[in-house]
Amino acid sequence: MLGYYTELALRSLRRSPIVTALMVLAIGLGIGASMTMLTVLNAMTRDPLPERSEHIYRPRLNPLPLDYQYEPGTVGGPTTALTWPDAKALLDAHRGVRQAAMARGYLTARSEQSGTAPKTAAGSFTTHDFFAMFGVPFVAGHAWSGQDDADAAPVVVVARKLAERLFGTAAAVGRTAHLGNHDFQVIGVIEDWHPQPLFYAIIGTNFDDGDEFFLPLSTSMSLHLDHNWDNGWGKDESPTSPTVSWLSFWVQLDSPAQVSAYRHYLVDYSARQKELGRYERPASEAKLYGLMDWLRHEGLVPNDVMLQTWLALGFLFVCLVNIVALLLAKFLRKGGEISVRRALGARRRDVFQQLGVESALLGLAGGALGVGLAELGLWTVRQRPNDYAHLARMNGAMLVESVVLAIVVSLLAGLLPAWRACRISPALRLKAL
């Protein structure tokens, strides 16, 4: 019967090509606009560490004085990062399975190869647990040790892309990398690892290409290397000041009991700091966020992207309403044909199924058009200067979802018209023929 209904639907669609084209266009425009923004939204809200995120947590402390004019919900405020005394205390406490403090910065990389111009490279200054905690993939060498952290060793781990720029195809491990005004021994090479978003940065809304080098945090401090973010509220602006926040901090906790214990530890730590006169705010302001919760807290999705997504979905709804109106007019005009079929023995559900197949075919055609329009829309997004623009690419799953959504939309749009058409009284229509 499906083949028969499909044949009837194709005949019906060919009889009114203008109306058919209008409905396919409406579905295509609605699907194209909505899937463009949903693809961008999906790319920006995906889990950057899908196999590890449930064990990765971000502590938040609030050492701000009571008279500091700061809105707690503001993205990027002083309590987004930790001060050096707080980060060091958490590192020394070893309350997590692994823990790491980090800050990002930029250094000029100078290649040993002739004809290769120096180029600024982005990197992170961190502690040794960073690599094991986040599962950073190594292709050669290894990470530095805790002793290297203590000794402020001049060692570096570089990404494959930077290794090739510095040393060509030669092995990089054991070579000397010239970064900034200093030399570092390469002890490890990693894949070009760049989780999106770059969650371990100070603010979790970075969608750039990731880091090309990693240096021990202690080494960066001993060499007075610049980091790219800080927020101070006192007279002392040095990195070790208790009134300058500039460090990101992450901890690995593998069980609910460990999470609960760490939360209590943060509250107790804040209470002790308040007793010492360093903290002024309630200890209850100490928080522990899971990775995805932290990204939401820090405004992972820009407001303009959310607004455009809602507008696109609203446009899809408007298209749906128009398709309902067009299908209702089309199906009701077929009252005579439907009445003849009913008189010859067709049941209401047979007619309903026939009209449903016609709606599905419209959705299939609209979905194909919508995919093309969505690809065009994503191309325009990629031309924007936003750091997330390069993520606007439709994968296989989103492609299938686009077509499925188009068919579902057209079937939903056809429910009311099909139901109204099935309620037509055959006797009255046959008398009018």
Side-chain angles (χ1 to χ4, degrees), residues 44-60:
M44 297 181 69
T45 56
R46 69 180 57 157
D47 189 342
L49 285 182
E51 297 180 358
R52 294 173 177 267
S53 61
E54 62 180 4
H55 301 301
I56 305 299
Y57 292 83
R58 175 78 173 243
R60 177 181 181 270

Side-chain angles (χ1 to χ4, degrees), residues 324 327 331 352 359 408-421:
V324 170
L327 283 176
F331 289 170
F352 190 87
S359 299
V408 170
V409 165
S410 61
L411 287 175
L412 290 175
L415 286 178
L416 177 61
W419 179 80
R420 287 290 304 276

